[in-house]
Every structure is written in C-alpha cells, then in structure tokens.
Amino acid sequence: MAADTEQGHPRSELEALARQLRSHAALHAKAEIALVSEVVGRGSWVHGPGDDGAVVRMRDGSGPDDPADGHVIACGEALLPAFVAGDPYGAGFAAVLTNVNDLAAMGATPRGIVDTIVGTTEVAREALRGMHDASRMYAVPLVGGHLTVHDGPPALSAFGIGHAAAVLSSTHVAAGQSLVVASCTTGTMRADFPFFRSFEERGTEMAGDIRVLASIAAAGSCVAAKDVSMAGTVGSLAMLLEFSRLGVTLDLDALPRPAGVPAAQWLTCFPAYSFLLCSPPGREAECMGAFHDRGLDAEVVGTIDDSGLLVLASGSARATVLDLAVTAVTGLAR
C-alpha cells in the first residue's frame, strides 16, 4: 500500500517535485541512447532497438514466426566500470537482476544468462560469485560467456535470453488502459546508491515474483510493461509512453511506496522489483491479483490518455513533469 506520510502534497510541493523529476540526471542520461539510431538507423521497437528486450525473428525470410511457438526474447546490460571495480560482487548480482527484470517486462520467462568479464582474478571471482548467487535466487542458469584476466580497468556485461507466450511491448500502449504499478515495498535503501533492496526479505520468492509478468501477459490482463530502473518510476514511465506519445496522470497517493521512504527518493530510485503495467479496461483486478497472491503490492495509479502529458497528482493538486508529444526520452527513431 502507499505510504501514509506525505500524501496530499500542496501544489507548490508537487510542482517542486515535478521540477526535480524533470531534471533527474538518470532520466537525462537516457537521451544518450539516441546514438544507436544515429548509427544503425530506424529499427523496430518490437524486434529492436526499442523495448527493454527484442523479439528475435526465428525464420530467415521464410515467413512470419508462428505465435503458437511463442517468442524468443533477448536483452543485455553493461555495468559501469567504477561499479565493477568498487563492488564486483554487487555488479555481478546486478548484471543478472537487470536482465531478468528486462525479460520479465517483455512478458518472458528467463531461460539463461551469458556473461563477459574482464578484470583481475579477484574482481572476476567476485563478479562471478555475484552472478552465481543471483542466478540461483532467480532460478535462471548461467549458460556461458567469456573471461579475460588482466590488471587494467574491469568490464562486465551480461545478456539474457527468455521465452514469451505473449509479448509485452510499449507499442501496445493505448488510451483507456489502466496504469498499474506492482512493487515489492519491503526492503531497505542502499546507503551509497539509490537502489531499494528486497533480496533478504524475498529471497528465493523472487524467482516466482519475476515470473508473474509472463503469466499475466499470457492471460491478457497486461499488454505492455516497463521495469522501473535507473531512470526511476517517473523516468521509466516516460520511456513506456515514448513510442505512443500518450499521457497519464500518476496518482501519487495510490502509488505503492515503502513506509518511511520519501516520495522524491522512491520516485528516483531503482527498486529491485517494481513494474509499470498497462491493463485493458476491466482486467485490472485480474492483473493486480496475480501480484497480491504473492504478497506483493499492486495498485491502479492512473489511466492512459491522449494528452501526451505525464502529470503528477496528489489530492486536488496537479503538476506536469513532461510533455511527451514534444519531448523525447531515449530519442530512438520510431
């Protein structure tokens, strides 16, 4: 449930929060992704580049894939070298987490992780230990990769492969759908980084938690999703809406949030488990129920509209964060 504190923000506070979110560095960093379109040109948001993962075509020009076979989803993540050097175990764990979350946001069940590691023996050992522990927690195997041992700056990347019976895609967002936020709000905020941890609290339950999205995708109670990552809840929401250029008014009073965590901190952090979901009208209870059954929070926090505006709401106050009709987030070609 949403935290009781700070609800009913006065308009001035809400406008200040909107300004803070609009200038959030992690949101602005997403604009660097436009380089991909500059180099490789216009792609497909479904088959890449665009969504959290790409639907891999399995037939080479011999006809469309058969939906009855399901869909292969691929994704990847590179970790900042400073993170790898300073906390190789945490970076290894994060390499798996980010891929598993991206696969889930596409409606996929994770099937395997491939990694590439460059660094000293000790850095490589700790990074592998982090990936191994995360792969066990999420019940997804490490199936291979590449290791180079050297004394220079470290590098770590990982790539996920998954299978989806039905694909969740930002290209499916449409006006009239309900915006649902599903989160694990039990955990602690990391002191040195805006990351909300839920691993100790959920443990191996995370494996089942992450597979809920594949089930609601297959059932049709969710048609589009985005995991909340470095851009925070509002920044990730802007990315979800970027392709359609639609809008939404986000009800902060309904938003699941951990008790004791201020709204501004929660909206700009990277939670271990938090997803933005688009549910067709009349399917919201079914969608949320899949999370509630696992003891996770899920609430309707808005309705997708054709305004193009991403608006914050609390009580009777409103404040616009972005006009997505004229503001790019990643800048990927549509």
Side-chain angles (χ1 to χ4, degrees), residues 80-290:
L80 284 172
F83 182 21
V84 181
D87 183 5
Y89 176 88
F93 202 102
V96 174
L97 176 150
T98 51
N99 276 284
V100 167
N101 280 359
D102 281 347
L103 290 169
M106 295 294 295
T109 298
R111 298 301 190 194
I113 301 290
V114 176
D115 62 78
T116 62
I117 304 172
V118 178
T120 65
T121 298
E122 188 55 34
V123 165
R125 186 187 307 279
E126 284 301 290
L128 280 168
R129 192 168 67 86
M131 284 189 284
H132 177 63
D133 287 352
S135 70
R136 292 179 65 185
M137 188 185 74
Y138 285 110
V140 55
L142 287 175
V143 296
H146 173 84
L147 170 62
T148 295
V149 175
H150 85 145
D151 293 331
L156 171 62
S157 296
F159 310 89
I161 191 79
H163 182 267
V167 175
L168 301 177
S169 171
S170 60
T171 63
H172 299 161
V173 177
Q177 294 168 353
S178 292
L179 176 65
V180 174
V181 173
S183 306
C184 178
T185 58
T186 57
T188 57
M189 194 73 72
R190 184 164 168 155
D192 61 339
F193 188 75
F195 181 74
F196 187 81
R197 299 173 293 197
S198 300
F199 310 124
E200 291 184 5
E201 291 76 9
R202 295 297 292 177
T204 55
E205 290 294 316
M206 296 289 280
D209 296 345
I210 210 68
R211 288 161 170 79
V212 172
L213 284 91
S215 70
I216 59 176
S221 61
C222 177
V223 296
K226 176 73 69 175
D227 67 308
V228 177
S229 56
M230 283 300 299
T233 298
V234 172
S236 299
L237 178 55
M239 294 170 70
L240 175 65
L241 298 173
E242 183 176 19
F243 179 85
S244 66
R245 296 180 182 171
L246 293 171
V248 70
T249 297
L250 176 64
D251 184 356
L252 297 182
D253 299 337
L255 181 71
R257 174 162 55 95
V261 177
Q265 187 178 19
W266 180 245
L267 291 171
T268 53
C269 82
F270 182 165
Y273 188 94
S274 189
F275 291 88
L276 304 158
L277 314 164
C278 290
S279 181
R283 304 293 298 275
E284 299 89 349
E286 181 184 351
C287 177
M288 292 186 294

